[in-house]
Amino acid sequence: MTNTPPPAEELRLIDAELWQLDARRTQLLTRRAWLVAALQQLQTPQAHPSRGPRWQAPRPPGSTPAVPRPDASAPSVQNVLLVLGGVLLTVAAMVFTLVSWGHLGITGRALVLGAVTVAALGSPLLLLKRGLRSTAESVAGLGLALTVLDAVALHGAVFSETAGAPYTALASALLAGLWTVYGVLPGAETLRLPRPAAVVAAQLPLFFWAIAADAGSYGLTATLLVTAAADTVLALRVTRASVRVVATVGAYGVGAAGTLAAGWLTWTASGPSAAARAAALLLLASATALGAAWQGSRTPTRAPGAEHSLGLALTAGLLTVAAFGGVARSALPEVWTVPVHLALGIALLAALRAGRLPETVRRGLLWASGSVQALALLWTLPVVGVVVLGPLSWASQAWTGTPPDARAAVTAHLTWPPYAGTVPLVLVALAGVLFLAVRDTTWRPRALTAAPILVWAALLTVPAVLELPYAAGLLIQGATTAGALAVAVWRSRPVELVPALVASASLALLSLATQSATLITLGALVVLFAAASWRAAAVTAPAALAYAAALAGATGAAADWSAPHTALLVLTVPAAAALLAWRLDDSPATVPIELTGAAAALVAIGMAVTDLPMLALVLALCGVISAGTAIREDRRPLGYAAAALFLLATWVRLAAWEVGTPEAYTLPVTIPALLLGHLRRRRVPETSSWTAYGPGLAATLLPSLVTAWGDPDWTRPLLLGLAALSLTLMGGGYGLQAPLVLGGSVLTLDALHELAPYIVQVADALPRWVPPALAGLLLLALGATYERRIRDVRKMRDFLGSLH
């Protein structure tokens, strides 16, 4: 008989056969291609005419011949060889100069110097005519190095008594001129080394001339700045790229060194005369940077680092401010140092409006002015921080007495910053600049937001700076808070409420010095923020409630109430918050107000923790507030919180009465839970009895069972057994699974606990072989009636499953 496989197995076999055929076809095609290549090679004759065609096996498909590749290109090899040759010749020349020079006479020395130098400098001209450019560059570099060695050798042999500084200045100047002339000779203008080398040599003459002339620190700094200025002019005017790059590097490097030196001289100037001379040096550096920025903004294609014109203009502006500011600092008291620099930074803005400057230069000077103003603002921050954060220390020493003045009030545990007398002036000046000078449509709104904040900060610092009386400081800070709040509410900008909130918090902390100041200040803040809530309730209403809670606590403390009794006053704030939230309904301020009320309720609970009866009362009142809030349709989940609070209040009250019976704590949970479960089953009949009654029954049965097992008396186990029996009968009668199972389980465990002593006595009276024998008989009986027991278990399972 034919064995026909199933369709799936037959399909698998067919796919396997097709795959094998495809693999064989690919193999044959590859072999065919290889044979075709072999036949084509047989038909191609060899290149040697005396030999016939020779067959060579072609390479297998997929393999490529390994062609060796050179590790270095010809130009790179040539450059390496030329550089090595030039270095070796230079080393040889140095050894000859240092070792063999003394064995030659004056004539011999002159002939050697002349011959070697002329040969080294003349050879590149001949090499360039033959087109050997790279060799010519290498020999030219050797010639330049020989000229330096010649200068060193001449100083050691001929001009040995000449000081090093003047000789170096003269030699470097001559070398710069010689290399420049050599670089522009006909036929040598294409060499790359001579003219950049001349620029490098030109960095030294002025500096060493100043050293030789004993020009001092001011003279040395001036030579550096003049050299940097010359480099800048050269970099701006020359068209040769190599010369421009070297001049640019020199301008930046030497100019930075000269500028730092001039800045140090300005900082350490001992008087107006020294400061003026240092300022002149800084102005020279500023003029150089400004000229480079100006030229770079006009001719960006030829300017050195033309994209850095903005940075050069910024540097020029800062150097100008530092120059004039240094002179003013040497003539005025130190307290006016920052205001003077700020005035100079603001003056840059006036210069921008007066002249017609390129856009890049204008933006650079604008950034310089902004940098000066930012530094001035940073200088004021420590004083503002002390004024705002200093009152925090009064939280630990409230109502200890009136401080001597406003500065002492904010520096109880802090140090007053030095030279802070002009901080309010600086802040007002910065606010004026923002208000008057910023006209850009993008930055104007931000400036109008920052200017009032700066004015607010200036007003806050006035009492401490002027050391006004404590009461005057409170009044000024209160007026500042009210003004900031009024401006923020009038302009309807929530971000501007932050200064008002910060000022109010600092004011509230500052008022903790005396009892009367605390009560008056907190009351005023409550009224102020409550009045502002008609337009910005989302922020001001919670703030008013917070200050009301603080006022309630302060009032209780002033009346010598204990903290638990004061908690009843604080609870008026959550009640007011609940009423206000109910009145506002869907307003954006509803949630912040409710959160503030909840926070005040937590504070009240924390205050009442030490007195259990008062804590129970506070928890109950919080539950009343939550229950009242849960009446609203959108706050129904708060009903669970209310139930939890009532339960906690009950437990705390029972603990206060020293009640140790667990049922007293569990029944307040069980009874409401059973009532809610019964109502849910009436509303939703398909609800399981475990969902409706399980949590409530377990809340009482399980703790009672644990307590009954440790109770030596018989009353509790008896009552628990009766209750469990009632639940079991009720569950069986009404077909409810949860009461039946829970009641039966508790009844069984309770009965075992009561019968345990008798079981132990019986076990002790029986012989040792009886328990194993009984266990064996039980297993035999179960094994013999196994199937029937299985049916009984299934019937019990079906019976329990039929219950709700």
Side-chain angles (χ1 to χ4, degrees):
M1 296 178 63
T2 303
N3 185 13
T4 303
E9 181 66 18
E10 185 177 1
L11 180 61
R12 186 186 66 80
L13 294 174
I14 293 175
D15 289 340
E17 291 291 337
L18 291 175
W19 181 83
Q20 292 178 359
L21 291 175
D22 291 339
R24 181 59 177 167
R25 174 180 173 81
T26 302
Q27 183 181 3
L28 294 176
L29 289 175
T30 303
R31 180 63 178 173
R32 180 181 182 279
W34 185 81
L35 293 174
V36 170
L39 291 176
Q40 291 177 352
Q41 187 174 0
L42 285 175
Q43 296 174 0
T44 303
Q46 296 292 330
H48 198 282
S50 62
R51 298 180 181 178
R54 186 180 61 182
W55 179 85
Q56 294 181 355
R59 298 182 180 273
S63 63
T64 56
V67 180
R69 300 180 62 183
D71 293 332
S73 61
S76 62
V77 173
Q78 180 186 13
N79 292 333
V80 170
L81 294 177
L82 292 175
V83 170
L84 288 176
V87 170
L88 291 176
L89 289 176
T90 304
V91 171
M94 292 175 62
V95 172
F96 172 79
T97 303
L98 297 175
V99 177
S100 302
W101 182 262
H103 299 289
L104 299 176
I106 298 297
T107 305
R109 296 173 185 176
L111 291 175
V112 170
L113 283 174
V116 174
T117 304
V118 170
L121 294 178
S123 298
L125 303 178
L126 299 177
L127 293 172
L128 287 175
K129 291 181 179 181
R130 295 181 175 273
L132 301 176
R133 180 180 180 82
S134 298
T135 307
E137 293 285 354
S138 179
V139 177
L142 174 62
L144 298 179
L146 287 174
T147 55
V148 177
L149 294 176
D150 293 344
V152 175
L154 286 174
H155 180 265
V158 181
F159 305 103
S160 58
E161 296 182 359
T162 305
Y167 182 83
T168 302
L170 180 61
S172 59
L174 292 176
L175 287 176
L178 174 64
W179 292 346
T180 303
V181 172
Y182 178 70
V184 299
L185 288 176
E189 66 274 1
T190 58
L191 292 175
R192 299 177 180 178
L193 290 179
R195 278 176 280 187
V199 176
V200 174
Q203 311 299 312
L204 304 178
L206 286 179
F207 184 75
F208 282 96
W209 171 80
I211 294 176
D214 197 12
S217 57
Y218 289 92
L220 292 175
T221 304
T223 58
L224 290 175
L225 294 175
V226 170
T227 303
D231 289 335
T232 303
V233 174
L234 182 63
L236 292 172
R237 297 300 180 183
V238 74
T239 58
R240 196 178 187 89
S242 58
V243 177
R244 187 167 65 246
V245 170
V246 174
T248 301
V249 173
Y252 276 107
V254 179
T259 302
L260 292 176
W264 177 254
L265 293 175
T266 302
W267 182 260
T268 58
S270 58
S273 176
R277 285 182 291 167
L281 296 176
L282 285 178
L283 290 177
L284 175 59
S286 174
T288 303
L290 183 62
W294 194 306
Q295 188 68 22
S297 61
R298 288 190 172 184
T299 57
T301 57
R302 295 178 57 188
E307 66 277 4
H308 298 159
S309 296
L310 178 64
L312 292 172
L314 170 62
T315 304
L318 293 177
L319 292 178
T320 302
V321 172
F324 289 105
V327 176
R329 184 177 60 85
S330 63
L332 297 175
E334 292 187 357
V335 72
W336 292 100
T337 299
V338 175
V340 167
H341 282 80
L342 177 61
L344 294 172
I346 297 174
L348 288 177
L349 299 177
L352 292 178
R353 296 181 178 275
R356 299 180 60 183
L357 302 176
E359 181 62 25
T360 305
V361 176
R362 181 183 299 274
R363 288 193 292 114
L365 295 179
L366 181 63
W367 278 101
S369 177
S371 301
V372 174
Q373 296 177 52
L375 292 174
L377 179 61
L378 288 176
W379 175 75
T380 64
L381 290 182
V383 178
V384 177
V386 169
V387 171
V388 173
L389 301 178
L392 282 172
S393 59
W394 289 104
S396 60
Q397 51 183 358
W399 299 356
T400 56
T402 305
D405 52 53
R407 182 179 296 182
V410 299
T411 57
H413 292 86
L414 297 175
T415 302
W416 185 251
Y419 312 118
T422 55
V423 167
L425 178 62
V426 170
L427 291 171
V428 171
L430 291 173
V433 170
L434 291 176
F435 184 77
L436 298 175
V438 180
R439 297 296 180 183
D440 185 74
T441 56
T442 302
W443 291 94
R444 180 67 176 174
R446 304 174 186 176
L448 294 179
T449 301
I453 296 177
L454 294 175
V455 174
W456 159 78
L459 292 176
L460 285 184
T461 57
V462 166
V465 169
L466 300 180
E467 297 184 85
L468 298 179
Y470 172 71
L474 285 179
L475 290 175
I476 292 176
Q477 190 163 348
T480 303
T481 303
L485 184 60
V487 171
V489 172
W490 174 63
R491 298 179 64 178
S492 298
R493 292 184 178 181
V495 68
E496 296 183 2
L497 290 171
V498 176
L501 293 174
V502 173
S504 65
S506 178
L507 176 62
L509 292 170
L510 190 62
S511 68
L512 293 177
T514 62
Q515 176 179 316
S516 58
T518 302
L519 296 176
I520 294 173
T521 301
L522 291 177
L525 289 175
V526 171
V527 174
L528 180 64
F529 280 93
S533 298
W534 66 283
R535 291 193 66 177
V539 178
T540 56
L545 291 173
Y547 288 124
L551 179 60
T555 303
D560 291 332
W561 289 6
S562 63
H565 288 82
T566 305
L568 296 177
L569 281 179
V570 178
L571 277 181
T572 58
V573 174
L579 293 175
L580 185 59
W582 170 75
R583 180 67 178 83
L584 294 176
D585 199 11
D586 293 333
S587 172
T590 301
V591 174
I593 289 173
E594 290 177 340
L595 292 177
T596 306
L602 290 176
V603 172
I605 293 172
M607 295 174 65
V609 166
T610 57
D611 190 346
L612 291 182
M614 191 59 64
L615 177 60
L617 178 59
V618 170
L619 289 171
L621 293 176
C622 291
V624 171
I625 296 172
S626 299
T629 305
I631 296 175
R632 294 166 50 190
E633 186 68 27
D634 55 340
R635 294 294 186 267
R636 292 296 172 80
L638 287 178
Y640 298 104
L645 289 170
F646 285 131
L647 178 61
L648 288 175
T650 304
W651 285 352
V652 172
R653 173 55 65 181
L654 292 172
W657 287 338
E658 298 182 355
V659 176
T661 304
E663 288 78 10
Y665 295 90
T666 57
L667 286 176
V669 180
T670 296
I671 294 173
L674 293 177
L675 290 176
L676 292 175
H678 179 66
L679 294 176
R680 180 178 178 85
R681 278 185 59 83
R682 290 186 60 184
R683 185 177 301 176
V684 185
E686 60 271 13
T687 303
S688 171
S689 62
W690 286 104
T691 303
Y693 305 117
L697 294 176
T700 295
L701 290 177
L702 298 181
S704 299
L705 178 62
V706 173
T707 307
W709 273 58
D711 192 350
D713 201 0
W714 61 271
T715 306
R716 181 184 297 277
L718 177 60
L719 294 177
L720 179 61
L722 292 176
L725 177 61
S726 301
L727 287 175
T728 304
L729 296 176
M730 186 183 299
Y734 287 96
L736 299 177
Q737 189 178 108
L740 177 62
V741 174
L742 288 176
S745 301
V746 172
L747 179 60
T748 303
L749 294 175
D750 186 58
L752 288 175
H753 174 263
E754 293 302 313
L755 296 176
Y758 303 104
I759 296 174
V760 171
Q761 292 178 3
V762 172
D764 290 338
L766 292 175
R768 298 301 181 112
W769 56 268
V770 173
L774 292 176
L777 291 175
L778 177 62
L779 292 176
L780 289 174
L782 291 176
T785 59
Y786 176 76
E787 294 183 357
R788 189 173 63 184
R789 303 305 176 194
I790 292 296
R791 288 196 301 269
D792 294 340
V793 171
R794 289 175 180 174
K795 289 180 180 180
M796 178 59 68
R797 184 193 62 185
D798 296 337
F799 170 72
L800 292 177
S802 64
L803 300 179
H804 292 285

